[in-house]
Amino acid sequence: MRVPMIAGNWKMNTTVNEATELVKTMRDELDKVSNVDKVVCPPFVSLAPVRELIKGSSIKLGAQNLYFAEKGAFTGEISPLMIADLCEFVIIGHSERRQYFNETGEVVNKKILAALNVGLKPILCIGERLEENEAGRTEEVVTEQLSSSLAGINDLNGLIIAYEPVWAIGTGRAATGVQANETISFIRRNISRLYNDKIAREMRILYGGSVTAANATEFMQQPEIDGALVGGASLKATEFLSIITQTSTIRGHFSHID
Ligand code: PEP
């Protein structure tokens, strides 16, 4: 079975001091929750100090992005190896990067490959925009995003998918559990078509988009949803902890696959 995962995407929030304070507030309580992968993804500058604070705990670390080149004259960028030195996970293809930084399917594909090459587990974000949803094009959009992001990649090596409808991110307008479950089930069938049944069955597919302590149970009760990528609510210790505790209560009986 699949181990549920709750990952907090802090986006461009928190100074180093605020990031370390947030981790200190949550660390001991988070550490008590078992059978859920608990991941925090602070801004780059806080990765090293947060890593020090979570050493010896069950909390895992992820970055929010990387650049695909190995090294060299790319002022301001962060390489895959730099991230792999600190983290186990990296978010790739978040809709905010696609929207504000013009990340195309081709760029996302290069980043996924670069991450896998250094042993990082990518959290690949896909999802349709509002107008695409309203035009009934959700399945078409996620199918295209999957095939472009994963082109030429044979070994997925722990890759996780986050289905994040763009209209639900940061808006307070979450999808329903049933809607998210349907699309995630569709994504899993696509993974089976692109790879095979076993890979599809074992792949963790998260929902993301305005998940809070108030609606977490609705998502975790759905059989295809293996956890959540959480933005805003991951910056509030009690909210984040509550989402994780609810996940553990509902899904914690599932045994580990790794
Ligand atoms: C996200 O950043 O991936 C996200 C889902 O944000 P929020 O939970 O704030 O909608």
Side-chain angles (χ1 to χ4, degrees):
M1 297 301 273
R2 304 180 291 265
V3 184
M5 171 189 278
I6 301 293
N9 173 15
W10 296 4
K11 311 195 188 193
M12 197 174 72
N13 295 296
T14 67
T15 60
V16 172
N17 196 38
E18 288 163 349
T20 51
E21 283 308 310
L22 181 56
V23 169
K24 281 185 208 161
T25 314
M26 302 192 289
R27 184 183 47 196
D28 294 348
E29 289 303 311
L30 282 185
D31 206 25
K32 287 182 197 155
V33 185
S34 55
N35 294 325
V36 177
D37 268 353
K38 299 149 285 185
V39 184
V40 290
C41 305
F44 286 138
V45 292
S46 293
L47 288 173
V50 166
R51 183 171 185 260
E52 282 309 303
L53 283 174
I54 59 178
K55 243 182 209 160
S57 82
S58 57
I59 303 164
K60 299 178 178 189
L61 194 58
Q64 298 173 20
N65 183 30
L66 50 63
Y67 189 58
F68 51 74
E70 206 179 302
K71 61 175 161 178
F74 300 100
T75 302
E77 293 296 330
I78 308 282
S79 81
L81 214 49
M82 293 173 194
I83 300 297
D85 215 19
L86 299 170
C87 300
E88 184 175 343
F89 299 94
V90 59
I91 298 170
I92 294 179
H94 193 282
S95 66
E96 287 151 16
R97 297 220 51 91
R98 295 178 195 256
Q99 185 180 349
Y100 304 128
F101 304 96
N102 301 319
E103 280 194 12
T104 59
E106 194 186 337
V107 170
V108 171
N109 178 245
K110 285 182 177 171
K111 290 187 172 190
I112 298 272
L113 256 174
L116 289 170
N117 275 343
V118 294
L120 281 162
K121 294 176 187 145
I123 303 174
L124 166 63
C125 301
I126 58 172
E128 81 286 1
R129 297 196 305 265
L130 182 62
E131 61 273 24
E132 293 165 334
N133 180 281
E134 287 174 347
R137 293 183 52 221
T138 299
E139 294 190 350
E140 177 198 331
V141 171
V142 297
T143 301
E144 193 289 317
Q145 287 175 332
L146 276 179
S147 45
S148 61
S149 308
L150 299 177
I153 298 174
N154 297 323
D155 191 353
L156 294 178
N157 211 13
L159 176 138
I160 292 137
I161 292 176
Y163 166 58
E164 301 208 302
V166 180
W167 47 270
I169 299 178
T171 58
R173 181 187 164 188
T176 65
V178 171
Q179 275 174 334
N181 192 67
E182 262 173 28
T183 307
I184 287 176
S185 168
F186 176 80
I187 291 168
R188 202 178 296 288
R189 292 200 298 279
N190 254 272
I191 293 296
S192 174
R193 181 179 57 80
L194 292 169
Y195 294 89
N196 60 48
D197 270 357
K198 182 172 186 291
I199 289 176
R201 262 199 323 274
E202 290 179 353
M203 173 168 286
R204 289 187 288 186
I205 310 182
L206 317 180
Y207 166 74
S210 297
V211 173
T212 63
N215 62 18
T217 286
E218 176 182 350
F219 293 107
M220 297 317 140
Q221 280 172 336
Q222 298 292 333
E224 294 290 338
I225 303 180
D226 301 316
L229 181 56
V230 183
S234 70
L235 291 165
K236 299 173 201 138
T238 47
E239 281 268 317
F240 193 55
L241 182 62
S242 169
I243 294 168
I244 287 172
T245 312
Q246 292 176 54
T247 305
S248 172
T249 306
I250 298 164
R251 307 291 290 263
H253 56 283
F254 290 170
S255 53
H256 287 243
I257 49 166
D258 55 2

mmCIF file of all heavy atoms in Angstrom, residues 2 181 188 219-226 251 254:
data_model
loop_
_atom_site.group_PDB
_atom_site.id
_atom_site.type_symbol
_atom_site.label_atom_id
_atom_site.label_comp_id
_atom_site.label_asym_id
_atom_site.label_seq_id
_atom_site.Cartn_x
_atom_site.Cartn_y
_atom_site.Cartn_z
ATOM 1 N N ARG A 2 0.234 2.371 -0.246
ATOM 2 C CA ARG A 2 0.982 3.629 -0.374
ATOM 3 C C ARG A 2 1.004 4.392 0.961
ATOM 4 O O ARG A 2 -0.040 4.557 1.584
ATOM 5 C CB ARG A 2 0.332 4.482 -1.461
ATOM 6 C CG ARG A 2 0.224 3.764 -2.802
ATOM 7 C CD ARG A 2 -0.427 4.630 -3.846
ATOM 8 N NE ARG A 2 -1.839 4.889 -3.615
ATOM 9 C CZ ARG A 2 -2.831 4.184 -4.147
ATOM 10 N NH1 ARG A 2 -2.571 3.189 -4.968
ATOM 11 N NH2 ARG A 2 -4.078 4.485 -3.886
ATOM 12 N N ASN A 181 -10.782 12.988 -6.274
ATOM 13 C CA ASN A 181 -10.581 11.541 -6.364
ATOM 14 C C ASN A 181 -10.737 11.065 -7.810
ATOM 15 O O ASN A 181 -9.969 10.233 -8.282
ATOM 16 C CB ASN A 181 -11.588 10.826 -5.459
ATOM 17 C CG ASN A 181 -11.254 9.367 -5.277
ATOM 18 O OD1 ASN A 181 -10.231 9.039 -4.668
ATOM 19 N ND2 ASN A 181 -12.065 8.474 -5.825
ATOM 20 N N ARG A 188 -3.943 8.202 -12.364
ATOM 21 C CA ARG A 188 -3.342 6.882 -12.094
ATOM 22 C C ARG A 188 -3.507 5.959 -13.315
ATOM 23 O O ARG A 188 -2.595 5.213 -13.658
ATOM 24 C CB ARG A 188 -3.987 6.276 -10.836
ATOM 25 C CG ARG A 188 -3.111 5.220 -10.175
ATOM 26 C CD ARG A 188 -3.726 4.657 -8.901
ATOM 27 N NE ARG A 188 -3.913 5.589 -7.815
ATOM 28 C CZ ARG A 188 -2.941 6.115 -7.061
ATOM 29 N NH1 ARG A 188 -1.691 5.782 -7.287
ATOM 30 N NH2 ARG A 188 -3.225 6.971 -6.088
ATOM 31 N N PHE A 219 -10.762 14.869 1.984
ATOM 32 C CA PHE A 219 -9.834 14.386 0.958
ATOM 33 C C PHE A 219 -9.225 13.038 1.352
ATOM 34 O O PHE A 219 -9.115 12.133 0.529
ATOM 35 C CB PHE A 219 -8.740 15.428 0.695
ATOM 36 C CG PHE A 219 -9.293 16.671 0.056
ATOM 37 C CD1 PHE A 219 -9.414 17.857 0.773
ATOM 38 C CD2 PHE A 219 -9.739 16.644 -1.260
ATOM 39 C CE1 PHE A 219 -9.959 18.989 0.188
ATOM 40 C CE2 PHE A 219 -10.285 17.773 -1.856
ATOM 41 C CZ PHE A 219 -10.403 18.955 -1.125
ATOM 42 N N MET A 220 -8.851 12.914 2.616
ATOM 43 C CA MET A 220 -8.154 11.696 3.030
ATOM 44 C C MET A 220 -9.060 10.476 3.035
ATOM 45 O O MET A 220 -8.599 9.349 2.998
ATOM 46 C CB MET A 220 -7.503 11.887 4.408
ATOM 47 C CG MET A 220 -6.439 12.966 4.419
ATOM 48 S SD MET A 220 -5.354 12.882 2.966
ATOM 49 C CE MET A 220 -5.160 14.606 2.609
ATOM 50 N N GLN A 221 -10.354 10.700 3.056
ATOM 51 C CA GLN A 221 -11.292 9.564 3.018
ATOM 52 C C GLN A 221 -11.429 8.967 1.612
ATOM 53 O O GLN A 221 -12.022 7.914 1.444
ATOM 54 C CB GLN A 221 -12.676 10.006 3.515
ATOM 55 C CG GLN A 221 -12.744 10.058 5.028
ATOM 56 C CD GLN A 221 -14.031 10.680 5.529
ATOM 57 O OE1 GLN A 221 -14.675 11.450 4.818
ATOM 58 N NE2 GLN A 221 -14.396 10.374 6.758
ATOM 59 N N GLN A 222 -10.905 9.676 0.632
ATOM 60 C CA GLN A 222 -11.018 9.198 -0.743
ATOM 61 C C GLN A 222 -9.915 8.176 -1.034
ATOM 62 O O GLN A 222 -8.747 8.434 -0.751
ATOM 63 C CB GLN A 222 -10.894 10.381 -1.719
ATOM 64 C CG GLN A 222 -11.993 11.416 -1.565
ATOM 65 C CD GLN A 222 -13.343 10.879 -1.992
ATOM 66 O OE1 GLN A 222 -13.437 9.978 -2.832
ATOM 67 N NE2 GLN A 222 -14.404 11.419 -1.407
ATOM 68 N N PRO A 223 -10.275 7.057 -1.629
ATOM 69 C CA PRO A 223 -9.296 5.967 -1.762
ATOM 70 C C PRO A 223 -8.105 6.261 -2.671
ATOM 71 O O PRO A 223 -7.035 5.693 -2.486
ATOM 72 C CB PRO A 223 -10.133 4.816 -2.345
ATOM 73 C CG PRO A 223 -11.324 5.465 -2.955
ATOM 74 C CD PRO A 223 -11.593 6.694 -2.134
ATOM 75 N N GLU A 224 -8.283 7.145 -3.662
ATOM 76 C CA GLU A 224 -7.183 7.399 -4.605
ATOM 77 C C GLU A 224 -6.249 8.501 -4.141
ATOM 78 O O GLU A 224 -5.195 8.715 -4.716
ATOM 79 C CB GLU A 224 -7.762 7.785 -5.979
ATOM 80 C CG GLU A 224 -8.519 6.679 -6.678
ATOM 81 C CD GLU A 224 -7.597 5.567 -7.168
ATOM 82 O OE1 GLU A 224 -6.395 5.809 -7.344
ATOM 83 O OE2 GLU A 224 -8.098 4.454 -7.344
ATOM 84 N N ILE A 225 -6.654 9.249 -3.131
ATOM 85 C CA ILE A 225 -5.872 10.414 -2.698
ATOM 86 C C ILE A 225 -4.903 9.999 -1.600
ATOM 87 O O ILE A 225 -5.308 9.542 -0.540
ATOM 88 C CB ILE A 225 -6.798 11.553 -2.215
ATOM 89 C CG1 ILE A 225 -7.792 11.939 -3.328
ATOM 90 C CG2 ILE A 225 -5.982 12.761 -1.776
ATOM 91 C CD1 ILE A 225 -8.759 13.063 -2.962
ATOM 92 N N ASP A 226 -3.612 10.176 -1.881
ATOM 93 C CA ASP A 226 -2.590 9.659 -0.965
ATOM 94 C C ASP A 226 -1.998 10.733 -0.064
ATOM 95 O O ASP A 226 -0.911 10.527 0.499
ATOM 96 C CB ASP A 226 -1.472 9.001 -1.781
ATOM 97 C CG ASP A 226 -2.010 7.862 -2.631
ATOM 98 O OD1 ASP A 226 -2.810 7.067 -2.114
ATOM 99 O OD2 ASP A 226 -1.647 7.789 -3.819
ATOM 100 N N ARG A 251 -5.749 7.227 7.380
ATOM 101 C CA ARG A 251 -4.962 6.402 6.461
ATOM 102 C C ARG A 251 -3.806 5.669 7.117
ATOM 103 O O ARG A 251 -3.112 4.907 6.459
ATOM 104 C CB ARG A 251 -4.376 7.289 5.342
ATOM 105 C CG ARG A 251 -5.405 8.133 4.626
ATOM 106 C CD ARG A 251 -6.340 7.268 3.797
ATOM 107 N NE ARG A 251 -5.655 6.706 2.668
ATOM 108 C CZ ARG A 251 -5.689 7.218 1.440
ATOM 109 N NH1 ARG A 251 -6.395 8.293 1.196
ATOM 110 N NH2 ARG A 251 -5.026 6.650 0.451
ATOM 111 N N PHE A 254 -2.501 1.953 6.769
ATOM 112 C CA PHE A 254 -1.869 1.401 5.575
ATOM 113 C C PHE A 254 -0.413 1.099 5.883
ATOM 114 O O PHE A 254 0.272 1.874 6.525
ATOM 115 C CB PHE A 254 -1.953 2.388 4.410
ATOM 116 C CG PHE A 254 -3.353 2.550 3.877
ATOM 117 C CD1 PHE A 254 -3.630 3.548 2.969
ATOM 118 C CD2 PHE A 254 -4.361 1.699 4.268
ATOM 119 C CE1 PHE A 254 -4.915 3.705 2.466
ATOM 120 C CE2 PHE A 254 -5.649 1.841 3.781
ATOM 121 C CZ PHE A 254 -5.921 2.846 2.874
#
